[in-house]
Amino acid sequence: MREMFVLPLAQRCGVGRALLTRYLAEAEGRGVSSVHLLTARDFSAEMFYSELGFRRVSRQIMLVRP
């Protein structure tokens, strides 16, 4: 999966959780042992992903050049 979005009207209704839970189950069934994701820090998405077992890895950084 490259990106996942849930429209604001559908957020907090279980749509994102259902999609990601299914994706993770499919990945595990195919032998995937870890999943990495990128999201904004201190954003509501961080809490969402934390509730699904993801954790912040402080050793990673993101660099941007215009």
Side-chain angles (χ1 to χ4, degrees):
M1 178 185 317
R2 185 145 175 113
E3 294 188 64
M4 182 179 92
F5 297 92
V6 175
L7 292 172
L9 284 172
Q11 291 176 0
R12 305 200 60 76
C13 296
V15 174
R17 182 176 300 276
L19 287 170
L20 191 55
T21 299
R22 175 67 185 262
Y23 174 79
L24 294 171
E26 288 287 328
E28 185 178 339
R30 294 173 185 231
V32 174
S33 60
S34 67
V35 175
H36 301 252
L37 65 86
L38 176 65
T39 190
R41 185 177 294 209
D42 299 325
F43 190 69
S44 60
E46 185 177 2
M47 181 181 289
F48 168 76
Y49 291 119
S50 294
E51 291 171 356
L52 290 168
F54 288 87
R55 60 182 171 77
R56 185 185 286 193
V57 178
S58 60
R59 70 178 187 272
Q60 295 179 341
I61 62 169
M62 181 177 180
L63 303 169
V64 176
R65 180 173 181 223

